Amino acid sequence: MNRLQVILFVALVLSGLYMVRVSYEARRLFVEVERAQAEERQLETEYEQLQVDKRAQATPLRVEKVAREKLAMRTATPAVTHYVTHAEAAPAAASGAASGEGGR
C-alpha cells in the first residue's frame, strides 16, 4: 500500500503542476487577447479620425483654394475656352453650313 500511495502522490503533484501551468498559459493568452482588442479599438479610432480629416480636406472650397494657390489654376470662362473640332467633322460641317443645314 505504501508504494501505491507514493505513485498516487507523485501523480497528484504532477497534475497540480500541470494545472498551474495551464492556468498561467490561459491568463497569459487572455491578457494578449485584451491587448489586441485595445489595439484594435485604438486603430479603429485612428482610422475614423483619418476619414474625418480626409473628408475635411476634400471639400470643394478647399480643393478650389489649393488649385488656385499651389497649382495656379483659374476658373474656366468663355473668354479662355478653346473649342476643338475633329478633322473629319470640320469639312462636313462646312459643307452643311454652306447648304443651309446647320447642325445646331
Side-chain angles (χ1 to χ4, degrees), residues 19-42:
M19 196 159 149
V20 167
R21 182 174 166 265
V22 167
S23 176
Y24 171 77
E25 185 69 18
R27 274 189 238 122
R28 187 185 67 77
L29 290 174
F30 180 76
V31 168
E32 191 174 323
V33 166
E34 287 292 320
R35 283 185 188 147
Q37 288 174 344
E39 184 179 358
E40 176 192 17
R41 285 189 295 273
Q42 177 191 3

Short mmCIF file of all heavy atoms in Angstrom, two decimals, residues 19-42:
data_model
loop_
_atom_site.label_atom_id
_atom_site.label_comp_id
_atom_site.label_asym_id
_atom_site.label_seq_id
_atom_site.Cartn_x
_atom_site.Cartn_y
_atom_site.Cartn_z
N MET A 19 -1.75 21.70 -13.91
CA MET A 19 -2.89 22.60 -13.78
C MET A 19 -2.44 24.05 -13.59
O MET A 19 -3.02 24.98 -14.16
CB MET A 19 -3.76 22.17 -12.61
CG MET A 19 -5.12 22.74 -12.60
SD MET A 19 -6.12 21.70 -11.57
CE MET A 19 -7.23 22.87 -10.95
N VAL A 20 -1.39 24.25 -12.80
CA VAL A 20 -0.85 25.60 -12.60
C VAL A 20 -0.31 26.15 -13.91
O VAL A 20 -0.55 27.31 -14.26
CB VAL A 20 0.25 25.58 -11.50
CG1 VAL A 20 1.03 26.89 -11.50
CG2 VAL A 20 -0.37 25.32 -10.15
N ARG A 21 0.39 25.31 -14.65
CA ARG A 21 0.95 25.74 -15.93
C ARG A 21 -0.15 26.11 -16.92
O ARG A 21 -0.08 27.14 -17.61
CB ARG A 21 1.82 24.62 -16.52
CG ARG A 21 2.47 24.99 -17.82
CD ARG A 21 3.43 23.88 -18.26
NE ARG A 21 3.80 24.07 -19.64
CZ ARG A 21 3.19 23.46 -20.67
NH1 ARG A 21 2.22 22.61 -20.46
NH2 ARG A 21 3.59 23.69 -21.90
N VAL A 22 -1.18 25.28 -17.01
CA VAL A 22 -2.30 25.55 -17.92
C VAL A 22 -3.02 26.83 -17.51
O VAL A 22 -3.40 27.65 -18.35
CB VAL A 22 -3.25 24.35 -17.98
CG1 VAL A 22 -4.55 24.69 -18.66
CG2 VAL A 22 -2.57 23.18 -18.67
N SER A 23 -3.21 27.03 -16.23
CA SER A 23 -3.87 28.24 -15.73
C SER A 23 -3.05 29.48 -16.07
O SER A 23 -3.60 30.51 -16.50
CB SER A 23 -4.06 28.12 -14.22
OG SER A 23 -4.62 29.28 -13.70
N TYR A 24 -1.74 29.41 -15.89
CA TYR A 24 -0.86 30.53 -16.24
C TYR A 24 -0.95 30.83 -17.73
O TYR A 24 -1.03 31.98 -18.13
CB TYR A 24 0.57 30.20 -15.83
CG TYR A 24 1.57 31.20 -16.33
CD1 TYR A 24 1.71 32.43 -15.70
CD2 TYR A 24 2.35 30.93 -17.44
CE1 TYR A 24 2.62 33.37 -16.18
CE2 TYR A 24 3.26 31.86 -17.92
CZ TYR A 24 3.39 33.07 -17.29
OH TYR A 24 4.29 34.00 -17.75
N GLU A 25 -0.91 29.80 -18.54
CA GLU A 25 -0.98 29.98 -20.00
C GLU A 25 -2.31 30.61 -20.41
O GLU A 25 -2.35 31.49 -21.27
CB GLU A 25 -0.78 28.62 -20.70
CG GLU A 25 -0.71 28.71 -22.20
CD GLU A 25 0.55 29.37 -22.70
OE1 GLU A 25 1.53 29.49 -21.96
OE2 GLU A 25 0.55 29.79 -23.87
N ALA A 26 -3.40 30.19 -19.75
CA ALA A 26 -4.72 30.76 -20.06
C ALA A 26 -4.75 32.24 -19.70
O ALA A 26 -5.28 33.06 -20.47
CB ALA A 26 -5.81 30.00 -19.32
N ARG A 27 -4.19 32.61 -18.56
CA ARG A 27 -4.14 34.02 -18.16
C ARG A 27 -3.30 34.84 -19.14
O ARG A 27 -3.65 35.95 -19.50
CB ARG A 27 -3.59 34.16 -16.75
CG ARG A 27 -4.66 34.02 -15.70
CD ARG A 27 -4.12 34.37 -14.32
NE ARG A 27 -4.33 33.18 -13.49
CZ ARG A 27 -3.40 32.50 -12.86
NH1 ARG A 27 -2.16 32.91 -12.89
NH2 ARG A 27 -3.70 31.45 -12.16
N ARG A 28 -2.16 34.28 -19.54
CA ARG A 28 -1.28 34.97 -20.48
C ARG A 28 -1.99 35.20 -21.82
O ARG A 28 -1.95 36.30 -22.38
CB ARG A 28 -0.01 34.16 -20.71
CG ARG A 28 1.03 34.88 -21.53
CD ARG A 28 2.23 34.01 -21.83
NE ARG A 28 1.91 32.91 -22.72
CZ ARG A 28 1.73 33.03 -24.05
NH1 ARG A 28 1.85 34.20 -24.62
NH2 ARG A 28 1.44 31.98 -24.80
N LEU A 29 -2.69 34.19 -22.30
CA LEU A 29 -3.42 34.34 -23.57
C LEU A 29 -4.57 35.33 -23.44
O LEU A 29 -4.84 36.09 -24.36
CB LEU A 29 -3.93 32.97 -24.03
CG LEU A 29 -2.86 31.99 -24.49
CD1 LEU A 29 -3.47 30.64 -24.79
CD2 LEU A 29 -2.12 32.53 -25.71
N PHE A 30 -5.24 35.34 -22.28
CA PHE A 30 -6.33 36.29 -22.06
C PHE A 30 -5.81 37.72 -22.09
O PHE A 30 -6.41 38.60 -22.72
CB PHE A 30 -7.02 36.00 -20.72
CG PHE A 30 -8.14 36.94 -20.43
CD1 PHE A 30 -9.36 36.80 -21.08
CD2 PHE A 30 -7.98 37.97 -19.52
CE1 PHE A 30 -10.41 37.68 -20.82
CE2 PHE A 30 -9.01 38.85 -19.26
CZ PHE A 30 -10.23 38.70 -19.91
N VAL A 31 -4.66 37.96 -21.45
CA VAL A 31 -4.06 39.30 -21.46
C VAL A 31 -3.67 39.68 -22.88
O VAL A 31 -3.86 40.83 -23.31
CB VAL A 31 -2.84 39.35 -20.51
CG1 VAL A 31 -2.03 40.61 -20.71
CG2 VAL A 31 -3.31 39.24 -19.07
N GLU A 32 -3.15 38.75 -23.64
CA GLU A 32 -2.77 39.02 -25.03
C GLU A 32 -3.99 39.38 -25.88
O GLU A 32 -3.93 40.31 -26.70
CB GLU A 32 -2.06 37.80 -25.60
CG GLU A 32 -1.39 38.04 -26.93
CD GLU A 32 -0.59 36.83 -27.39
OE1 GLU A 32 0.02 36.16 -26.55
OE2 GLU A 32 -0.58 36.58 -28.61
N VAL A 33 -5.09 38.68 -25.66
CA VAL A 33 -6.33 38.99 -26.39
C VAL A 33 -6.83 40.38 -26.01
O VAL A 33 -7.24 41.16 -26.88
CB VAL A 33 -7.41 37.92 -26.12
CG1 VAL A 33 -8.78 38.38 -26.58
CG2 VAL A 33 -7.04 36.62 -26.81
N GLU A 34 -6.77 40.71 -24.73
CA GLU A 34 -7.20 42.04 -24.28
C GLU A 34 -6.34 43.14 -24.92
O GLU A 34 -6.86 44.17 -25.33
CB GLU A 34 -7.13 42.14 -22.75
CG GLU A 34 -8.21 41.36 -22.04
CD GLU A 34 -9.58 41.95 -22.25
OE1 GLU A 34 -9.71 43.19 -22.23
OE2 GLU A 34 -10.53 41.17 -22.43
N ARG A 35 -5.06 42.92 -24.99
CA ARG A 35 -4.17 43.91 -25.63
C ARG A 35 -4.50 44.07 -27.11
O ARG A 35 -4.51 45.19 -27.63
CB ARG A 35 -2.71 43.49 -25.48
CG ARG A 35 -2.14 43.75 -24.13
CD ARG A 35 -0.66 43.42 -24.08
NE ARG A 35 -0.18 43.49 -22.70
CZ ARG A 35 0.77 42.73 -22.20
NH1 ARG A 35 1.36 41.83 -22.96
NH2 ARG A 35 1.14 42.86 -20.95
N ALA A 36 -4.74 42.95 -27.77
CA ALA A 36 -5.07 43.01 -29.20
C ALA A 36 -6.39 43.76 -29.41
O ALA A 36 -6.52 44.55 -30.35
CB ALA A 36 -5.15 41.61 -29.78
N GLN A 37 -7.36 43.54 -28.54
CA GLN A 37 -8.64 44.24 -28.67
C GLN A 37 -8.47 45.74 -28.40
O GLN A 37 -9.09 46.56 -29.07
CB GLN A 37 -9.67 43.63 -27.72
CG GLN A 37 -10.15 42.27 -28.17
CD GLN A 37 -11.07 41.61 -27.16
OE1 GLN A 37 -11.13 42.00 -25.99
NE2 GLN A 37 -11.78 40.59 -27.60
N ALA A 38 -7.62 46.09 -27.43
CA ALA A 38 -7.36 47.51 -27.16
C ALA A 38 -6.68 48.16 -28.35
O ALA A 38 -7.02 49.29 -28.74
CB ALA A 38 -6.50 47.65 -25.90
N GLU A 39 -5.73 47.45 -28.96
CA GLU A 39 -5.06 47.98 -30.14
C GLU A 39 -6.05 48.13 -31.30
O GLU A 39 -6.00 49.10 -32.05
CB GLU A 39 -3.91 47.06 -30.55
CG GLU A 39 -3.12 47.59 -31.71
CD GLU A 39 -1.96 46.68 -32.10
OE1 GLU A 39 -1.74 45.66 -31.44
OE2 GLU A 39 -1.27 47.02 -33.08
N GLU A 40 -6.96 47.17 -31.42
CA GLU A 40 -7.98 47.26 -32.48
C GLU A 40 -8.85 48.49 -32.28
O GLU A 40 -9.12 49.23 -33.24
CB GLU A 40 -8.87 46.00 -32.46
CG GLU A 40 -10.00 46.06 -33.46
CD GLU A 40 -11.03 44.96 -33.26
OE1 GLU A 40 -11.06 44.35 -32.18
OE2 GLU A 40 -11.81 44.73 -34.20
N ARG A 41 -9.27 48.74 -31.04
CA ARG A 41 -10.09 49.93 -30.77
C ARG A 41 -9.31 51.21 -31.09
O ARG A 41 -9.86 52.14 -31.67
CB ARG A 41 -10.55 49.92 -29.32
CG ARG A 41 -11.67 48.93 -29.04
CD ARG A 41 -12.24 49.12 -27.63
NE ARG A 41 -11.27 48.83 -26.59
CZ ARG A 41 -11.04 47.65 -26.06
NH1 ARG A 41 -11.70 46.59 -26.49
NH2 ARG A 41 -10.15 47.49 -25.10
N GLN A 42 -8.03 51.24 -30.72
CA GLN A 42 -7.21 52.42 -30.99
C GLN A 42 -7.06 52.63 -32.50
O GLN A 42 -7.19 53.76 -32.99
CB GLN A 42 -5.83 52.25 -30.36
CG GLN A 42 -4.91 53.41 -30.66
CD GLN A 42 -3.47 53.11 -30.25
OE1 GLN A 42 -3.16 52.02 -29.79
NE2 GLN A 42 -2.61 54.09 -30.43
#
